[in-house]
Amino acid sequence: MKKSLCLLLFGIVLAGCQAIPKQKTEVVVKETQVVADQRNKAVVVPKDVKSIVAVPMPAASLIAVLDGGVNRLAGINPASMTAAKGEILEEMYPEINAVATHFTNPAFEVNVEELTKLNPDVVFQWSDRGEGLYAGMEEVGLPVLGLTYGTQADLTAWIALIGKVLGKEQRAAELISYQEKIVRDITEKTASLSATTKPKVLYLSYGKDLKTAGAGTYNDMYIELIGAENVAHGLKGSPTVTMEQVIAWNPDIIILGNFANTRPADLYKDTIPGQKWSGIRAVKNKRVYRAPLGTYRWDPPNQESPLMWLWLGAIAQPKLFTSSIRQTTSDFYAQFYAYTLSDQQLDKILQCDEYEKNPGWCSVAE
Amino acid sequence: MNTKKIPVGAALPNSGFLHTNRALFTKEVGWLLMFLLVLLLVFTASLLMGRVRVPLYSDVVLQLRLPRALASLLIGAGLGTAGASMQGLFRNPLVSPSVLGISAGAGFGGALGIYLVPTFTLGILFLAFMGGFLAMLLTYGVVRKGSPITVVLVGMSMGALFTALTSIIKFAADPTNKLPSIVFLLMGGLSGISYQKLAFAAGPICLGVFGLLLARWRINVLSLGEAEAHTLGVKATQWRWWIIGCITLIVAASVSIAGVIGWVGLVVPHIARMIVGPDHRALIPASALLGAAYVILMDTLARSVAATEIPLSIFTTIIGAFVFLYLLSRAGVRSWGRD
């Protein structure tokens, strides 16, 4: 009985072996170019990139706007998707809903097998969060480009690099020169400000979790740029502070980031356990604002960063920044996305729902 | 089975705590009063310490520091008492209240609460509390009648199981809103304390501590062993349930409002034991007072030392371990009361 069973199994295996199709090895020659990423590594990428995967959160929308569409985006970070769904990016490019997000997570860890199923020609990843994030990708032959977070120079480098990979160098150059022009304008405007006229700003990226941005972060850079004082400037990186520390700082203005759901109304109601907001100047004077959300969250570095600077400038130094942020945003979208924003869309981007009283940049009909 | 008759009131070798005739233990009472004084001092000091210099009758003190100090007091007293009772009951110097899986169960309940109904605070507290009880009931359901070692092993497995289930919840949770809250709960800390949470936990913790205080002498007897307890007329099973029940009330309530705070239940009883001795009639109150002072001190440091909130576990673990090692190197295990 055992012997015949063995023979039967052997026969099945033999038959199975015959059934495996012979794989033809195809040799396809693709034109390539060598680009240097921000790790200063020379990476060989195809000249005609058809499918891109972007793990860093801001990269997805940057690629979309430089490319004028999401057709070449194969995969993005789930946190990029949450900034797109229900917001202007989805309205501009509804196909974004079909882009994959399951292969990575907000900690930027990548499931390489799922990634290979997407067949990307190039992958973008953070360069400054450890080698572990690259594990496996380069080994399977995927070209990976590293992006470094932090300064305006870094953001400029991202735009240039993505522009090169997409073959949209000219658009990238336009965007960069726009950003640089705004930096020059702002620096001129704020050159003669003395320290006493600078309001104290507190930026909370995750709202009530009390995570703020200290020296060396992009947020610290633009708060100081537009003529305000970042209360967390004495700390480094993105530390989480105590409520007492916030009370000790007593900021004049609080900016709530778009990474979590805390709204100005939550601080005004003051019912968060373990926290006391009512004594703080920004809350007393109703100067708590939620950062706008355009094609990406305005608070971290992104393609619309100059608009963030102008928006914050109008809040912190209204006498210096007098032009209408609505007009500037409208013009920007027309110039760079060939897209006309309606009043309703502008209100949505500028988070007008969050404010009981018109803060000055919302449409009057409410 | 040991059939030696033990006359009540006799001094057993190396036991030192069956002196029921010793009506006055003045030395121990003296120490307890000292601990009470220290506790009051530490409590007052914590109200005055912080990142902001404010007068006593200010919002910052009344709304931020006072609830935290009160919560630290309750949790410290609770965990200290629970730890001392555990160590006595299980006759093992290495157990802590978390060994029965209660902390892990409560952590799981809390995580589940945050995942399902993130804005309903009371619901989350309730689920955490129930989680702790569930873990304890499951542990005891599995063990029924077993040696303390078996109970500890089953408790640890149950704890591991609940921790794994909590990991599943963490994996599935929305990373921007729910996951940080869950991680915060599990890490342990008092920055989210409000008067509402305090009201929720005060009842169970006070009941638990009071219940353990009532059982002090029985713990003395139970720590000799089942047979000895039987000989002395102490109903081991009933009292064991009572003690475990009180411990569960304390730990489940603590975890539901402040997350998992480690090392307090392990270290504080040892420190107390090295000062007042192994007699639980003094050891239990001492652990309560010392535990309260200890957690108040740690929490005050955690929120005042830097602009960022340092997780409480870092302080309790590092300082606790150092104090523990120091005391062990000096006193050895003599004070444990065994050879």
Side-chain angles (χ1 to χ4, degrees):
Chain A
M1 173 64 190
K2 261 195 193 159
K3 217 173 179 181
S4 49
L5 193 63
C6 279
L7 275 173
L8 181 65
L9 280 171
F10 188 61
I12 293 173
V13 170
L14 266 182
C17 288
Q18 298 290 342
I20 294 172
K22 288 217 182 71
Q23 292 199 318
K24 276 204 233 152
T25 42
E26 287 180 30
V27 175
V28 176
V29 176
K30 278 168 138 187
E31 264 199 60
T32 58
Q33 58 173 337
V34 177
V35 292
D37 72 354
Q38 288 191 291
R39 295 175 292 167
N40 275 324
K41 205 165 170 222
V43 182
V44 178
V45 303
K47 249 217 166 121
D48 183 21
V49 168
K50 289 208 177 60
S51 149
I52 306 174
V53 161
V55 181
M57 294 182 204
S61 54
L62 191 49
I63 293 168
V65 306
L66 280 176
D67 205 26
V70 294
N71 303 318
R72 294 206 257 178
L73 263 184
I76 61 178
N77 197 301
S80 310
M81 188 62 92
T82 50
K85 258 191 163 34
E87 308 290 341
I88 192 76
L89 192 63
E90 191 187 19
E91 283 184 54
M92 283 165 61
Y93 310 121
E95 310 85 35
I96 196 158
N97 282 307
V99 177
T101 59
H102 60 286
F103 62 98
T104 184
N105 62 24
F108 314 110
E109 293 153 349
V110 178
N111 181 331
V112 183
E113 285 192 27
E114 288 293 330
L115 177 63
T116 51
K117 280 199 222 164
L118 300 171
N119 254 321
D121 290 325
V122 68
V123 178
F124 285 96
Q125 176 60 287
W126 287 123
S127 68
D128 44 2
R129 283 171 181 259
E131 277 301 309
L133 292 181
Y134 289 82
M137 291 196 283
E138 288 172 324
E139 280 85 323
V140 299
L142 290 171
V144 185
L145 295 173
L147 301 176
T148 310
Y149 168 90
T151 64
Q152 179 59 25
D154 287 322
L155 175 59
T156 309
W158 301 352
I159 299 173
L161 181 59
I162 292 175
K164 188 154 190 217
V165 168
L166 289 173
K168 300 273 164 115
E169 278 106 325
Q170 206 203 1
R171 269 178 93 90
E174 262 184 59
L175 189 57
I176 292 172
S177 65
Y178 180 86
Q179 294 200 351
E180 288 175 344
K181 174 174 172 301
I182 304 282
V183 172
R184 281 195 302 269
D185 287 346
I186 295 178
T187 318
E188 255 187 66
K189 268 205 246 254
T190 58
S192 51
L193 277 178
S194 69
T196 46
T197 54
K198 293 190 184 178
K200 296 200 284 187
V201 171
L202 172 67
Y203 167 67
L204 296 171
S205 49
Y206 282 82
K208 66 174 166 65
D209 290 350
L210 298 184
K211 190 163 189 219
T212 185
T217 59
Y218 193 75
N219 319 90
D220 177 77
M221 181 277 290
Y222 62 68
I223 293 174
E224 305 277 322
L225 174 73
I226 51 105
E229 190 195 309
N230 180 10
V231 290
H233 191 72
L235 303 170
K236 274 217 230 338
S238 300
T240 305
V241 295
T242 62
M243 188 66 221
E244 267 195 45
Q245 184 59 67
V246 175
I247 295 176
W249 280 330
N250 201 6
D252 300 305
I253 298 167
I254 296 178
I255 307 290
L256 297 170
N258 280 297
F259 289 101
N261 268 330
T262 312
R263 322 248 145 193
D266 297 326
L267 299 196
Y268 295 147
K269 270 195 294 205
D270 199 13
T271 50
I272 305 170
Q275 295 184 355
K276 187 114 203 75
W277 294 96
S278 53
I280 295 181
R281 216 175 288 138
V283 174
K284 283 198 280 211
N285 297 333
K286 298 256 191 238
R287 295 186 82 190
V288 181
Y289 306 98
R290 195 153 156 92
L293 208 176
T295 54
Y296 189 61
R297 305 171 171 104
W298 280 15
D299 38 312
N302 71 103
Q303 57 276 12
E304 282 159 37
S305 282
L307 302 175
M308 175 70 183
W309 311 333
L310 294 171
W311 175 82
L312 189 59
I315 293 174
Q317 299 282 359
K319 295 207 177 62
L320 290 180
F321 293 85
T322 50
S323 46
S324 151
I325 188 70
R326 283 179 87 87
Q327 192 58 54
T328 318
T329 309
S330 220
D331 293 340
F332 183 89
Y333 274 64
Q335 182 185 348
F336 288 98
Y337 312 148
Y339 193 83
T340 320
L341 286 172
S342 70
D343 270 337
Q344 232 182 342
Q345 287 171 323
L346 267 168
D347 277 344
K348 186 131 195 263
I349 292 175
L350 295 169
Q351 311 273 28
C352 288
D353 280 341
E354 305 292 338
Y355 310 110
E356 258 178 42
K357 222 176 49 150
N358 186 347
W361 56 74
C362 295
S363 48
V364 186
E366 201 45 60
Chain B
M1 202 175 121
N2 192 350
T3 51
K4 208 164 61 179
K5 270 213 101 176
I6 304 162
V8 173
L12 287 170
N14 292 332
S15 68
F17 50 67
L18 277 191
H19 303 198
T20 53
N21 289 334
R22 239 175 71 200
L24 301 154
F25 30 176
T26 27
K27 198 174 78 160
E28 282 81 4
V29 171
W31 278 113
L32 287 175
L33 285 172
M34 248 271 288
F35 292 158
L36 184 61
L37 189 64
V38 167
L39 175 59
L40 288 169
L41 279 171
V42 169
F43 188 88
T44 322
S46 96
L47 292 179
L48 297 168
M49 277 175 65
R51 303 295 296 174
V52 207
R53 290 198 71 114
V54 281
L56 207 56
Y57 287 111
S58 63
D59 256 351
V60 169
V61 172
L62 293 174
Q63 298 288 339
L64 290 184
R65 293 183 193 166
L66 188 57
R68 277 181 84 138
L70 287 171
S72 306
L73 193 153
L74 275 175
I75 291 173
L79 291 178
T81 322
S85 311
M86 285 282 298
Q87 289 170 2
L89 187 64
F90 288 96
R91 292 171 264 148
N92 188 321
L94 291 177
V95 300
S96 69
S98 58
V99 142
L100 289 175
I102 306 171
S103 316
F108 169 71
L112 191 63
I114 295 173
Y115 182 70
L116 295 174
V117 278
T119 47
F120 183 32
T121 318
L122 207 57
I124 296 170
L125 297 176
F126 189 68
L127 273 172
F129 192 71
M130 288 293 114
F133 262 94
L134 179 68
M136 184 274 283
L137 287 170
L138 283 174
T139 304
Y140 261 81
V142 170
V143 173
R144 233 160 262 287
K145 204 163 178 66
S147 71
I149 298 288
T150 318
V151 177
V152 168
L153 284 173
V154 173
M156 288 177 80
S157 314
M158 205 58 73
L161 176 65
F162 275 107
T163 308
L165 290 172
T166 312
S167 296
I168 295 179
I169 297 182
K170 282 198 322 195
F171 180 70
D174 163 27
T176 40
N177 291 309
K178 296 183 183 167
L179 186 58
S181 304
I182 295 176
V183 171
F184 182 74
L185 173 79
L186 297 170
M187 257 204 327
L190 286 137
S191 63
I193 293 289
S194 60
Y195 279 113
Q196 181 198 31
K197 289 188 182 177
L198 204 53
F200 178 85
I205 295 181
C206 288
L207 277 174
V209 172
F210 190 61
L212 290 174
L213 282 171
L214 282 177
R216 287 177 288 166
W217 190 78
R218 274 78 178 190
I219 301 180
N220 274 348
V221 175
L222 284 170
S223 68
L224 288 178
E226 276 233 29
E228 285 82 354
H230 186 75
T231 319
L232 283 164
V234 170
K235 298 192 181 80
T237 331
Q238 281 181 340
W239 278 104
R240 202 184 290 156
W241 271 107
W242 174 272
I243 293 164
I244 301 281
C246 292
I247 292 173
T248 311
L249 276 173
I250 294 170
V251 176
S254 302
V255 174
S256 60
I257 60 167
V260 183
I261 301 177
W263 274 84
V264 178
L266 180 59
V267 174
V268 168
H270 280 274
I271 300 175
R273 198 177 290 113
M274 281 167 200
I275 302 175
V276 296
D279 185 344
H280 288 83
R281 288 173 293 175
L283 183 59
I284 303 279
S287 303
L289 293 169
L290 271 183
Y294 183 73
V295 176
I296 294 177
L297 184 63
M298 299 289 118
D299 181 60
T300 311
L301 285 175
R303 65 173 168 79
S304 316
V305 156
T308 58
E309 172 109 21
I310 301 176
L312 190 59
S313 317
I314 292 184
F315 279 99
T316 54
T317 310
I318 294 182
I319 297 180
F322 270 114
V323 172
F324 195 38
L325 288 167
Y326 170 73
L327 287 172
L328 275 177
S329 69
R330 292 278 310 279
V333 284
R334 272 186 293 116
S335 58
W336 179 245
R338 295 264 173 280
D339 39 86

